[in-house]
Amino acid sequence: MEGIGGPERPRDLGKRMDLSTPPEMPLDPGMLDYTGTVGGFLFWSPKGQLFALNRFVVSRDFSRILPQVSSANFHVAYPLFSRMTESNINLVLHPTSQAHAYFLMDIKAGPTKKTVKVFQESSEIIANAIASQKYPVIHFGELQKAVMASRRNQAPVSIRIRFLELRANLPKVLRDAAADIFVANANPEGNKEARLEYKLATVGAELRRGMVENYLVNCLWLNPVTNHLGMMTCNDQASGFSNFVSGDVDVTAFERCLARDEDGHYVAQKGVANVLPVMLSHVKWNSPSVHVYDEAFRAAHRLQEYYSLYTGFKALCAVGAPVLMHESYELPEAVPVHLLRLDKGSPATLNSMREFPTRHLVWES
């Protein structure tokens, strides 16, 4: 999604607005609290970041806006969404003696379109949208412009709700986790920040589990301490290493083709690529990414910077046999890729063995 994860943090909005109003502070005279309506929505910052509000207070003439930004960090959720679209719903803030607000919806009436008032709460609007796999947000920059127009024209504030859409082919567990974030934010009861942080942590845990269980356990790993090839083992918190069973015909054939140094360690090209066991916002695949970060290496071998896991391994096979380095028990944010050199065997054998790490079924069991 264009602009996602930009350098501006939600808290930077505080440079332009007073974000210091604690939720429990009584309202000043002439101020209206729209938290129940506006605060039920997640917000999209001008730099492309999601954030939530603990409170949203404005003066009756909208000359002052006092949003209190939640400390919950939504960064882990960014890759779940692919694009933002416009909805057919407008939120109208109409200050009177109370914080009056309502929704307007555009509907088709034959060949024409008409606007009707919707007698629903924010939580109902959000629940109905989520049921259609759409995730409603308010664009903070558009809200600012709408407030300025309201003051200029002495009219109610009208802001178009926007929808975030999930990226294609997300597992159900991640679709459900994304929905839980929006539902948790729409619920005004209890400690919303703690609730959001728990839901966001759940998204992170599910993303990590999926990357490991669906992809990384099927990769070929090298233990640099023992110089043994093997598999990753994992649980909910961390990863381990398991040597291949001695005597396996395919593994033995592969190992016999590998070049070794004087100490018997495998000769490898290092420091050119990593596997990122996360979902990236700027790529279309849902698997881990191979990041070929060395520019000179990319240019020399005509490689792209980012690949999906399998495609990246296939591309790197032209240089060497790619294996992942198991450097610690905890899975790091970036797993180093070493390209093992093969030099023992016929050209046909070496070509075949170079692609050995991409053969999922060899080590599936």
Side-chain angles (χ1 to χ4, degrees):
M1 187 187 309
E2 185 177 356
I4 200 164
E8 180 184 72
R9 298 169 302 165
R11 293 184 185 85
D12 293 335
L13 298 173
K15 297 176 181 178
R16 300 190 296 275
M17 293 187 174
D18 180 4
L19 306 182
S20 61
T21 309
E24 66 277 4
M25 180 176 288
L27 285 180
D28 293 333
M31 302 298 289
L32 299 173
D33 191 344
Y34 280 97
T35 304
T37 302
V38 176
F41 290 90
L42 290 178
F43 276 75
W44 189 259
S45 82
K47 292 294 184 179
Q49 292 188 321
L50 277 172
F51 65 99
L53 295 181
N54 289 335
R55 200 179 193 190
F56 187 77
V57 177
V58 301
S59 61
R60 295 186 197 281
D61 61 356
F62 285 102
S63 60
R64 296 179 66 201
I65 304 177
L66 303 177
Q68 187 195 49
V69 177
S70 168
S71 64
N73 188 336
F74 286 80
H75 187 268
V76 70
Y78 294 161
L80 302 182
F81 303 99
S82 61
R83 63 174 184 154
M84 180 185 289
T85 60
E86 192 174 86
S87 77
N88 64 334
I89 304 169
N90 267 40
L91 170 60
V92 180
L93 308 181
H94 193 171
T96 58
S97 59
Q98 298 179 337
H100 184 47
Y102 54 89
F103 294 96
L104 298 177
M105 183 177 294
D106 297 332
I107 61 173
K108 289 184 177 180
T112 62
K113 181 176 65 175
K114 67 177 182 178
T115 301
V116 298
K117 191 171 183 179
V118 180
F119 296 95
Q120 289 182 322
E121 302 292 332
S122 294
S123 57
E124 295 174 290
I125 294 288
I126 293 166
N128 290 338
I130 290 174
S132 300
Q133 298 268 313
K134 298 182 185 295
Y135 299 81
V137 296
I138 294 175
H139 193 293
F140 195 81
E142 293 176 357
L143 176 61
Q144 289 176 306
K145 292 178 181 178
V147 168
M148 292 173 61
S150 171
R151 292 170 56 189
R152 184 171 57 249
N153 302 326
Q154 295 186 340
V157 172
S158 180
I159 178 70
R160 180 72 73 167
I161 302 299
R162 291 187 173 271
F163 287 150
L164 294 179
E165 294 188 1
L166 291 176
R167 65 192 298 161
N169 303 318
L170 275 182
K172 183 178 183 301
V173 65
L174 290 179
R175 297 198 304 270
D176 292 345
D180 285 347
I181 293 172
F182 283 75
V183 172
N185 185 67
N187 181 3
E189 303 299 326
N191 187 335
K192 186 168 81 168
E193 278 196 349
R195 191 164 60 241
L196 283 172
E197 288 170 354
Y198 174 78
K199 297 298 184 183
L200 289 163
T202 299
V203 170
E206 292 297 347
L207 279 169
R208 191 177 187 85
R209 183 180 297 112
M211 292 292 142
V212 172
E213 294 181 356
N214 297 330
Y215 299 100
L216 296 188
V217 295
N218 298 323
C219 292
L220 185 61
W221 291 75
L222 176 64
N223 187 322
V225 177
T226 63
N227 197 44
H228 288 157
L229 294 171
M231 302 170 59
M232 170 196 277
T233 60
C234 63
N235 56 36
D236 287 344
Q237 301 298 325
S239 67
F241 182 86
S242 176
N243 296 341
F244 280 127
V245 177
S246 177
D248 182 278
V249 175
D250 292 314
V251 175
T252 300
F254 176 67
E255 289 180 319
R256 285 175 177 171
C257 293
L258 296 175
R260 297 174 183 260
D261 61 20
E262 297 177 346
D263 298 322
H265 292 94
Y266 298 121
V267 177
Q269 183 162 5
K270 311 171 185 178
V272 295
N274 287 328
V275 166
L276 307 179
V278 294
M279 197 178 292
L280 300 179
S281 298
H282 61 277
V283 301
K284 62 183 179 180
W285 51 83
N286 296 336
S287 71
S289 292
V290 174
H291 182 205
V292 187
Y293 56 81
D294 186 279
E295 294 185 17
F297 179 80
R298 289 202 309 268
H301 298 283
R302 298 181 180 181
L303 296 171
Q304 300 174 26
E305 184 174 1
Y306 289 96
Y307 294 92
S308 62
L309 183 64
Y310 179 77
T311 304
F313 267 39
K314 287 286 286 185
L316 291 173
C317 283
V319 183
V323 297
L324 298 184
M325 297 302 293
H326 199 275
E327 295 185 325
S328 65
Y329 193 68
E330 288 193 17
L331 184 67
E333 293 183 1
V335 183
V337 176
H338 285 195
L339 302 176
L340 303 184
R341 196 175 82 199
L342 294 93
D343 65 356
K344 300 174 183 177
S346 66
T349 299
L350 293 180
N351 285 337
S352 174
M353 288 294 101
R354 193 175 288 115
E355 294 193 357
F356 179 84
T358 67
R359 297 177 192 170
H360 171 87
L361 293 179
V362 170
W363 53 89
E364 184 181 36
S365 59

